[in-house]
Amino acid sequence: MLKNYFKVAYRNLKKNKAYTFISVFGLALGLAVCALLLLYVQNELSYDQFNKNADNIYRLTQPEHAYHAPYIAIKLADNLPEIKDYVRIFPMDSEIIEYDNKQFKEKNVPFADPAIFRMFSFEFVSGDKETALDKPFTTVISETFAHKYFADENPIGKVLKIGGEYDYTVTGVMRDMPQNSHFRYDIILTLSGADKVFGSLMVNLGWQNFLVYFELQEGFSKSTFEEKCENLIQPFYKSYNPNFPKYSLQSLKDIHLYSAHIKNDIQPQNSITYVLIFSAIGILILLIACVNYINLLTANATTRMKEIGIKKVIGATRNQLAFQFVGESFLVLFIAFIISLVFVQLSLPVFETLTGKVLSFTALITLKNIVGVLVFLVGTSFIAGFYPAFFLSKLHPIQTLKGASITNKSKFNFRTLLVGVQFTIVIALICSALFMFSQIDYLQNKKLGFDKEFVLTSEINGTFDNVEKYNALKAALLKESIVASVSSGSRVPSNTTTNFGNLIPEGEAKPTSIALIHVHQDYFKTLGIKPVKGRLFSNQLATDIDNAIILNETAVKELMLKGNPIGQSVKCDWPKSERTIVGVTEDINFESLYGRVRPTAFLIDYSECSRLIVKVNPSNAETTINKLQAICSNFYPDEIFEFHFLDDKLENLYQSDKNTFQLMGYLTFLSIFISSMGLFGLALFLMKGRTKEIGIRKVLGASTPRILILLVKDFTKWVLIANIIAWPIAFYAVNKWLQNFAYHIEMNYWLFLMGGFIALLIALSTVSYQAIKAALANPVNSLKNE
Amino acid sequence: MIKTLNLKKLYTTEEVETTALNNVNIEIDKGEFVSIMGPSGCGKSTLLNILGLLDNPSNGELHFLEHEVSKYSERQRAQLRKQNIGFVFQSFNLIDELTVFENVELPLLYLGYSSSERKSKVNEVLEQMEIMHRVNHFPQQLSGGQQQRVAVARAIVSSPKLILADEPTGNLDSERGDEVMSLLTGLNENGTTIVMVTHSPTYAEYGNRIIHLFDGHVVTENYKEKFHV
């Protein structure tokens, strides 16, 4: 019996090649996309789970960032019994590391407390993870790092020179940190004996540059803990910052996906929003593929009424027929499933590039997934097989034998409803994608308040505090015809502004925390920033160095300055000085457009300027950079100059967004493709079912265009209805997503219309081929078919 | 074998009620060959379907092999049907996706015969129908006469007590029609009861009785006599 079922199933699939191809290929594509997205989501959700103590590790955060003064952690640990252990990490952007005359500029070089390897589960290749960082001036490196510096030598006991100044002995080699760790370092320098390196900064409460992690006792109360933290820390800051920020704990497992509010995190983290979006898209695409399949299967089943009738006459029971159809459906699904695995395997490298992740096919093989797939296959088989199995086999055998048309008499038709659902999904996706693309376009082209083109920047380890040396470099650079302007500052656009100082306007007592950017004189000229009020710093006025300050418009508001701000004086604590406001700039978007422009003040302080800014004239990028590097190295032989174009750096701010949008774009395209395929298949069956009607109409004198209109009218109606349902859904989703950005596009209603129009166009062009074919057919042939 | 008592069949659509059969009382004995005649729409096929347990009457009694089956459920009718009744249709009704062998094998599958039993029984009837050389062909590859022989083979493969034939010669030329009729006669001679609906007075003559229907009524029953409308 089973063999007979298989035979019939196989021959039917072979006979209806278009149907089979669309069903199997569409399902396989849908399943493959779903599997890839599952891999992605699994990976995203797995961050930091490898840590044995993950459940008890928390990061201390403030509303906008996770950086604290190093002393805070000690104070809390000494007073709160809930704290089992703490780790402070001071992440440095880059550092020059030297060994045996080999010198590299390493990115992401952190200092960390020795407890880091006790708290987090990083594996060691050699050395003792318990004690590796206990002694001052020790360091642990990764295998990759070890190979880079020491090749095949044993790294243990080797001495690395850090920043040209301090010698650190390698005491351990760890395996490369897993990709799904929220921090990934190749070298960790000990904080043991840190005062020898940082001196009194270690007890400076204004030096808020440390990430703080706690391992807490099980069963502690989060809210009580946070309250205690505040009570302990508040006294330090209260006199000095009335808007004392709230402290909260963030679970280690939440860091990767729930840190959208945290600025300047150690790695750009992802957001749970995107994980949810991609989960939803995965499910929707699978739904589209299933709808296709169910639609085609039911449409195809009506062509098998004769078979059902004969089998019933001969004595097949309804259960037997139901079993046959459900089984057939399962077979198709299973074939599609196998093909989807091949698709996944083939597309994994491309998907990895798109997501910037290292994913493994084997990660799909989990008990949960296997059970999920089985439930899906059996469930969909039942749903898809349900219609022919129960509805058709319920029909009277005589009716089915006579090929009685079972076109639904009611206006409500399950199949068109499904097409409607499908188009609702597709339209919502198209609209969302359109908005996403306009938003990224907006991010890239928004006027930021400065010139981002032809500006090169390079960060050095030290600062440009030696004015003579710096001026000599500047003069040498300006001699080059390609160089238009030179300056330096503590921050350039694309850097997060993490230096905060307190400003007290004249006549006020309360200080206000303002982001500070310390600059050399030509800073504004080099970046093309113009004042909206007053003037910029002048090379001619020596008093500007100690006495002038420039604010952005937000800072003027934040300080609640009355009247014309120009000429008013403010007290500043970094450097301690009394300054006169000489100019106001517009709100320059220094950071990504996710956040509002902070209140910012600019002042001259050479000792904080570590970033060289060179505005060049259009020329060959590589030769320009080489030339600049040669000149700079002449003056600063101990530094490594790596120049980057400012516009590239700004674009990098949105790199992960761009990847996300790109992926979103591909997924939208795939969803359109799969549903078009389904629609094409469905049209094929529907037109077939209407050949007699078309024939009669033509005999009675209907023109081809009129028949065409008749045939596509239904589809058009459903797409239009789908639009009406899809728009509010897309509106809600897009609106919610746009809230993530402080600066975003407006809700352009025409984008919804465009989305709907695209969907309609796709639907019509898909259906038209079949419709034209049907409308042009010779009525004699179609009537003969009856 | 079959007895009907005041058999009535109504078809109800949204607005119209049609009486297809009205007070039909007939009795068919084991071993008979009964022809049913009548103009289009007189209820011949409806009667055949009810006799064949494909449909339930609206009213009246239907006795089949000592069972009163008029109120039987679909499942009960299917059970009784597959063991006792074979069908032959005007349009052959073979399954296009199955070969000759597989089409004929189908009733045996639903009756739960073993593979070897099925094979020998199918081969036997195909020999009998002289269609063995086409055993692996698909229906579309056969002529109409050949298709009908396959259909007859399928009807008799489970050795049913009753064969119901709904215009078995309707789609065939006279030569093929004659062939099919002689097949049916042969089966009847071997003891199978046959009830056949036909438009052709000539083929009706093959029966030992002709039941004539008009507007859902039995008008006359003739035993081995010619009847003219």
Side-chain angles (χ1 to χ4, degrees):
Chain A
M1 183 70 87
L2 220 53
K3 208 172 118 197
N4 178 276
Y5 289 165
F6 264 107
K7 248 185 280 183
V8 174
Y10 170 73
R11 287 177 194 158
N12 256 308
L13 292 176
K14 218 172 94 179
K15 195 171 91 180
N16 299 315
K17 287 199 182 69
Y19 154 78
T20 307
F21 176 77
I22 294 170
S23 308
V24 174
F25 186 72
L27 268 172
L29 211 57
L31 278 166
V33 172
C34 210
L36 287 172
L37 289 176
L38 179 67
L39 270 177
Y40 169 86
V41 170
Q42 264 183 194
N43 180 277
E44 286 294 324
L45 295 177
S46 74
Y47 267 71
D48 296 306
Q49 305 270 7
F50 63 90
N51 288 294
K52 286 189 199 81
N53 297 328
D55 288 335
N56 300 323
I57 301 175
Y58 290 82
R59 180 165 86 163
L60 189 67
T61 64
Q62 291 187 33
E64 285 201 337
H65 63 87
Y67 294 99
H68 313 276
Y71 176 64
I72 295 293
I74 299 174
K75 177 80 183 169
L76 293 176
D78 284 348
N79 287 282
L80 301 175
E82 293 96 325
I83 299 176
K84 269 165 95 176
D85 211 343
Y86 69 87
V87 169
R88 298 165 302 169
I89 296 178
F90 173 44
M92 291 195 297
D93 285 352
S94 64
E95 189 61 273
I96 293 173
I97 300 180
E98 202 182 324
Y99 172 74
D100 196 17
N101 292 326
K102 275 187 286 182
Q103 213 185 33
F104 296 100
K105 190 169 191 171
E106 293 292 343
K107 287 203 169 101
N108 298 323
V109 180
F111 285 86
D113 282 315
I116 187 167
F117 293 116
R118 295 191 283 270
M119 191 184 290
F120 297 96
S121 313
F122 297 115
E123 283 178 56
F124 265 50
V125 180
S126 54
D128 178 7
K129 65 191 283 186
E130 294 291 324
T131 58
L133 294 177
D134 281 357
K135 290 195 184 116
F137 296 108
T138 50
T139 180
V140 169
I141 58 175
S142 74
E143 283 183 299
T144 304
F145 189 96
H147 190 75
K148 179 174 171 186
Y149 281 79
F150 309 113
D152 297 329
E153 287 178 71
N154 179 7
I156 302 291
K158 295 279 188 307
V159 176
L160 294 167
K161 193 172 260 322
I162 309 291
E165 206 172 334
Y166 300 103
D167 288 334
Y168 279 80
T169 308
V170 177
T171 49
V173 178
M174 59 180 171
R175 278 199 203 296
D176 288 358
M177 288 185 176
Q179 184 237 343
N180 58 356
S181 166
H182 82 281
F183 52 73
R184 251 180 296 165
Y185 293 124
D186 280 320
I187 178 167
I188 293 174
L189 307 168
T190 186
L191 267 179
S192 163
D195 48 344
K196 293 186 184 81
V197 180
F198 300 110
S200 63
L201 274 176
M202 290 304 285
V203 289
N204 182 338
L205 290 168
W207 198 44
Q208 297 184 34
N209 277 310
F210 284 71
L211 296 162
V212 175
Y213 297 86
F214 292 122
E215 187 180 337
L216 296 167
Q217 304 283 2
E218 265 174 60
F220 80 101
S221 153
K222 192 162 170 271
S223 55
T224 319
F225 185 91
E226 286 166 350
E227 204 183 308
K228 283 190 199 166
C229 273
E230 247 163 79
N231 292 338
L232 279 164
I233 303 171
Q234 218 166 7
F236 298 136
Y237 290 102
K238 198 163 184 183
S239 59
Y240 163 83
N241 184 357
N243 304 317
F244 178 76
K246 285 231 168 290
Y247 280 85
S248 53
L249 286 179
Q250 184 182 34
S251 165
L252 175 65
K253 294 191 289 186
D254 287 348
I255 292 176
H256 179 62
L257 291 177
Y258 296 89
S259 295
H261 57 296
I262 304 285
K263 292 213 174 79
N264 194 27
D265 216 331
I266 23 181
Q267 267 190 63
Q269 310 296 358
N270 201 347
S271 156
I272 187 71
T273 316
Y274 289 123
V275 174
L276 290 176
I277 288 177
F278 286 125
S279 309
I281 292 182
I283 292 168
L284 289 180
I285 287 190
L286 191 61
L287 194 70
I288 290 176
C290 285
V291 163
N292 268 350
Y293 175 57
I294 292 170
N295 261 340
L296 286 175
L297 189 113
T298 51
N300 184 40
T302 53
T303 66
R304 295 178 62 180
M305 301 229 308
K306 188 174 118 185
E307 177 194 334
I308 295 169
I310 296 167
K311 288 192 166 168
K312 285 196 84 175
V313 167
I314 287 173
T317 60
R318 259 175 80 185
N319 285 347
Q320 279 169 323
L321 288 170
F323 181 78
Q324 180 192 340
F325 277 98
V326 171
E328 250 178 56
S329 160
F330 184 83
L331 181 74
V332 173
L333 278 162
F334 190 73
I335 296 169
F337 172 66
I338 299 294
I339 295 174
S340 78
L341 293 182
V342 178
F343 283 177
V344 170
Q345 184 71 283
L346 290 177
S347 56
L348 202 55
V350 182
F351 188 69
E352 283 182 330
T353 323
L354 269 176
T355 54
K357 284 185 176 299
V358 182
L359 300 166
S360 154
F361 184 76
T362 47
L364 280 176
I365 307 164
T366 65
L367 184 67
K368 235 199 228 160
N369 289 349
I370 292 169
V371 172
V373 163
L374 277 177
V375 168
F376 167 77
L377 289 180
V378 174
T380 315
S381 307
F382 262 97
I383 298 168
F386 183 84
Y387 174 78
F390 296 94
F391 179 67
L392 292 183
S393 63
K394 201 169 94 182
L395 287 177
H396 204 275
I398 296 306
Q399 273 173 292
T400 49
L401 272 184
K402 281 188 180 152
S405 78
I406 49 148
T407 43
N408 244 318
K409 283 179 194 92
S410 63
K411 294 243 175 201
F412 176 80
N413 183 325
F414 180 63
R415 225 176 290 146
T416 33
L417 176 79
L418 285 183
V419 173
V421 169
Q422 212 174 31
F423 264 87
T424 306
I425 298 170
V426 170
I427 293 164
L429 284 177
I430 295 177
C431 290
S432 310
L434 286 176
F435 275 99
M436 281 199 166
F437 286 118
S438 3
Q439 173 66 12
I440 192 88
D441 188 59
Y442 172 81
L443 291 180
Q444 283 178 328
N445 295 319
K446 183 180 185 293
K447 285 213 165 28
L448 300 172
F450 57 87
D451 288 346
K452 58 180 179 179
E453 264 121 40
F454 306 112
V455 177
L456 283 157
T457 71
S458 175
E459 189 186 354
I460 61 164
N461 244 345
T463 61
F464 295 106
D465 55 348
N466 183 334
V467 185
E468 275 167 34
K469 203 166 149 190
Y470 167 77
N471 281 339
L473 168 69
K474 187 171 167 180
L477 287 169
L478 285 170
K479 248 189 232 160
E480 296 296 325
S481 61
I482 42 162
V483 176
S485 179
V486 177
S487 187
S488 83
S490 59
R491 294 283 185 275
V492 293
S494 80
N495 297 141
T496 314
T497 45
T498 47
N499 288 356
F500 289 91
N502 285 294
L503 297 186
I504 310 172
E506 200 176 5
E508 296 279 333
K510 277 185 198 164
T512 306
S513 174
I514 302 276
L516 296 183
I517 295 177
H518 302 92
V519 299
H520 267 268
Q521 274 89 342
D522 284 339
Y523 188 82
F524 297 101
K525 182 185 156 200
T526 313
L527 286 171
I529 300 170
K530 300 208 163 50
V532 287
K533 270 186 197 138
R535 62 173 177 88
L536 299 172
F537 296 127
S538 162
N539 281 316
Q540 267 72 48
L541 295 168
T543 47
D544 272 5
I545 299 171
D546 295 321
N547 296 327
I549 192 165
I550 292 174
L551 304 176
N552 70 357
E553 289 175 308
T554 306
V556 171
K557 269 181 230 149
E558 188 81 8
L559 289 167
M560 293 187 284
L561 299 174
K562 288 170 201 99
N564 186 359
I566 306 298
Q568 297 196 28
S569 80
V570 290
K571 264 193 206 131
C572 175
D573 68 343
W574 189 359
K576 269 201 169 20
S577 50
E578 179 123 10
R579 289 170 183 263
T580 308
I581 301 166
V582 297
V584 176
T585 70
E586 64 175 308
D587 285 338
I588 301 152
N589 289 98
F590 255 76
E591 300 168 46
S592 85
L593 296 171
Y594 276 109
R596 292 235 145 248
V597 171
R598 294 179 206 258
T600 310
F602 301 86
L603 39 109
I604 297 174
D605 183 351
Y606 301 150
S607 65
E608 294 294 334
C609 295
S610 58
R611 288 167 167 102
L612 190 67
I613 313 163
V614 182
K615 168 97 182 174
V616 294
N617 298 316
S619 53
N620 178 288
E622 208 186 316
T623 36
T624 306
I625 288 174
N626 287 340
K627 202 175 249 174
L628 296 184
Q629 270 170 344
I631 297 167
C632 292
S633 301
N634 249 338
F635 290 88
Y636 292 84
D638 295 337
E639 296 285 354
I640 295 177
F641 284 86
E642 283 177 352
F643 281 97
H644 298 282
F645 279 101
L646 194 55
D647 46 2
D648 291 343
K649 286 183 73 166
L650 287 165
E651 234 183 274
N652 282 340
L653 293 177
Y654 310 112
Q655 195 50 52
S656 74
D657 293 313
K658 270 170 80 180
N659 287 347
T660 309
F661 299 153
Q662 216 177 358
L663 188 58
M664 173 87 189
Y666 284 118
L667 291 174
T668 307
F669 174 78
L670 272 173
S671 71
I672 295 172
F673 181 69
I674 297 175
S675 43
S676 304
M677 246 174 32
L679 194 62
F680 183 85
L682 189 63
L684 197 86
F685 281 107
L686 292 185
M687 298 305 159
K688 228 188 227 171
R690 295 180 78 169
T691 32
K692 183 182 162 194
E693 178 197 339
I694 295 165
I696 295 169
R697 281 175 189 272
K698 284 191 91 171
V699 168
L700 295 176
S703 66
T704 306
R706 279 196 69 161
I707 289 181
L708 214 54
I709 290 169
L710 177 88
L711 292 178
V712 297
K713 204 175 67 189
D714 275 357
F715 285 103
T716 312
K717 191 177 77 192
W718 276 98
V719 173
L720 292 180
I721 292 172
N723 264 310
I724 291 164
I725 302 167
W727 286 341
I729 297 170
F731 181 91
Y732 175 80
V734 167
N735 198 26
K736 191 135 198 206
W737 174 74
L738 283 178
Q739 301 308 319
N740 289 329
F741 297 89
Y743 301 90
H744 55 78
I745 48 168
E746 293 305 309
M747 279 289 178
N748 288 322
Y749 293 99
W750 67 270
L751 279 182
F752 287 111
L753 286 174
M754 193 163 129
F757 183 70
I758 293 174
L760 185 66
L761 209 67
I762 293 166
L764 286 184
S765 49
T766 311
V767 173
S768 293
Y769 170 71
Q770 301 293 342
I772 292 171
K773 225 170 84 176
L776 288 178
N778 185 346
V780 175
N781 293 334
S782 50
L783 290 180
K784 235 192 239 165
N785 280 340
E786 286 292 307
Chain B
M1 182 178 230
I2 301 172
K3 191 178 169 188
T4 70
L5 260 176
N6 297 329
L7 206 63
K8 201 168 190 174
K9 181 72 184 174
L10 299 172
Y11 286 115
T12 325
T13 60
E14 276 157 41
E15 283 152 20
V16 202
E17 199 181 75
T18 324
T19 308
L21 294 174
N22 203 356
N23 290 326
V24 173
N25 295 294
I26 53 171
E27 208 173 330
I28 297 167
D29 290 329
K30 197 168 172 279
E32 267 196 288
F33 188 149
V34 178
S35 301
I36 301 175
M37 289 194 75
S40 287
C42 70
K44 305 186 294 287
S45 293
T46 307
L47 177 62
L48 201 70
N49 291 337
I50 291 174
L51 297 184
L53 311 186
L54 290 173
D55 206 352
N56 271 340
S58 309
N59 257 316
E61 289 177 19
L62 172 64
H63 297 265
F64 180 75
L65 295 174
E66 319 301 326
H67 303 274
E68 207 291 290
V69 298
S70 61
K71 301 281 183 297
Y72 267 30
S73 70
E74 161 69 24
R75 180 185 290 273
Q76 287 171 307
R77 281 186 277 128
Q79 194 58 31
L80 208 53
R81 189 165 69 218
K82 71 178 172 188
Q83 282 165 356
N84 298 298
I85 308 174
F87 290 87
V88 179
F89 301 93
Q90 175 180 1
S91 51
F92 324 132
N93 280 335
L94 298 173
I95 296 177
D96 298 336
E97 287 73 33
L98 296 181
T99 62
V100 166
F101 183 93
E102 288 156 359
N103 262 294
V104 177
E105 185 192 24
L106 210 52
L108 302 179
L109 274 172
Y110 289 115
L111 284 167
Y113 280 82
S114 74
S115 162
S116 57
E117 277 178 300
R118 292 201 302 266
K119 204 169 173 189
S120 72
K121 272 185 176 288
V122 172
N123 285 337
E124 194 183 313
V125 292
L126 288 178
E127 294 275 5
Q128 192 186 337
M129 295 295 128
E130 295 171 15
I131 194 85
M132 201 51 204
H133 59 293
R134 295 286 194 172
V135 65
N136 288 322
H137 285 67
F138 286 92
Q140 300 96 314
Q141 297 168 311
L142 306 180
S143 70
Q146 286 172 329
Q147 287 193 46
Q148 196 59 304
R149 272 192 277 158
V150 177
V152 174
R154 187 180 62 188
I156 63 170
V157 70
S158 57
S159 318
K161 297 183 177 70
L162 171 68
I163 286 184
L164 298 173
D166 194 351
E167 301 198 35
T169 56
N171 277 358
L172 301 175
D173 60 34
S174 61
E175 199 181 326
R176 310 284 158 232
D178 291 347
E179 260 178 47
V180 168
M181 284 319 294
S182 63
L183 280 175
L184 291 179
T185 321
L187 291 171
N188 181 241
E189 279 162 6
N190 289 330
T192 310
T193 313
I194 292 179
V195 179
M196 177 180 77
V197 164
T198 183
H199 273 299
S200 154
T202 324
Y203 291 143
E205 289 295 325
Y206 282 74
N208 53 2
R209 173 156 59 120
I210 300 172
I211 295 176
H212 225 94
L213 286 183
F214 189 79
D215 277 356
H217 296 276
V218 175
V219 188
T220 40
E221 288 188 57
N222 300 42
Y223 285 84
K224 286 274 180 187
E225 275 175 39
K226 277 200 174 172
F227 182 82
H228 299 285
V229 182

